[in-house]
């Protein structure tokens, strides 16, 4: 199961929203996420609207999952004049510390409608299993004294 996230990321996210500083590769902005368990897998959804799929990086090392993404300016020309620009540009990042009960070798990722969805299966060793109970042996041996 998911163990924890960095509690200071939320403070950084609020500070960057107030002061409007864009994230950089050395100091990225936190991205919002949801995480839940569905059957035998954990599902983590990251909100990344306006981010190109080729600008997303996923890494896992020693049960630490790192997601980084970069929202780049829209391509424009001399005839394009921005009227409203409210979505922050820059680099976004989030780290999750995954528990030992998750199978980190079989993580699946999909990106659709601005949402990056990761599916992390529960490891076989962590799934509950049923143990069969055998009956008494029918072959009894007589002991002669």
């Amino acid at each position: 199961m998911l163990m924890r996230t960095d509690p200071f990321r939320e403070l950084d996210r609020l500070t960057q929203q107030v002061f409007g500083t864009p994230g950089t590769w050395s100091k990225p902005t936190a991205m919002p996420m949801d995480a839940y368990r569905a059957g035998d897998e954990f599902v983590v959804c990251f909100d990344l609207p306006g981010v190109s799929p080729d600008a997303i990086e996923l890494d896992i090392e020693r049960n630490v999952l790192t997601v980084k993404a970069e929202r780049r300016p829209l391509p424009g020309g001399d005839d394009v004049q921005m009227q409203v620009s409210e979505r922050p540009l820059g680099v976004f990042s989030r780290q999750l510390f995954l528990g030992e009960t998750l199978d980190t070798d079989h993580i699946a990722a999909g990106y659709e409608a601005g949402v990056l969805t990761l599916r992390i299966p529960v490891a076989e060793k962590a799934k509950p299993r049923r143990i069969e109970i055998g009956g008494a042996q029918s072959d009894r041996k007589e002991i002669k004294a």
Side-chain angles (χ1 to χ4, degrees):
M1 69 178 53
L2 294 171
M3 290 177 60
R4 64 177 189 256
T5 61
D6 185 0
F8 296 106
R9 285 279 186 200
E10 287 300 309
L11 184 59
D12 287 344
R13 183 180 65 80
L14 291 172
T15 303
Q16 288 170 347
Q17 281 181 346
V18 171
F19 295 114
T21 57
T24 63
W25 284 103
S26 61
K27 189 172 172 98
T29 303
M31 65 183 79
M33 69 165 216
D34 292 326
Y36 57 92
R37 183 171 179 164
D40 285 339
E41 66 184 5
F42 274 91
V43 180
V44 184
C45 300
F46 297 95
D47 288 340
L48 296 170
V51 174
S52 174
D54 63 336
I56 300 173
E57 293 180 8
L58 292 172
D59 294 312
I60 188 155
E61 185 177 342
R62 297 185 184 188
N63 286 2
V64 177
L65 174 71
T66 304
V67 180
K68 281 193 176 186
E70 182 178 12
R71 184 176 296 123
R72 300 173 181 140
L74 295 173
D78 294 335
D79 61 338
V80 175
Q81 295 178 349
M82 183 64 72
Q83 299 299 310
V84 177
S85 179
E86 293 182 349
R87 293 193 300 187
L89 301 176
V91 179
F92 302 85
S93 178
R94 193 76 182 248
Q95 282 190 323
L96 298 176
F97 298 88
L98 304 178
E100 296 293 328
T101 60
L102 297 178
D103 185 0
T104 57
D105 292 332
H106 295 96
I107 296 176
Y111 184 71
E112 185 178 343
V115 177
L116 173 66
T117 303
L118 303 178
R119 297 187 177 280
I120 309 167
V122 174
E124 287 297 321
K125 66 182 179 184
K127 291 180 183 176
R129 60 187 185 280
R130 189 172 186 96
I131 300 172
E132 295 295 324
I133 300 172
Q137 287 185 348
S138 60
D139 299 334
R140 292 189 175 207
K141 296 183 181 180
E142 288 186 24
I143 299 175
K144 295 184 180 180

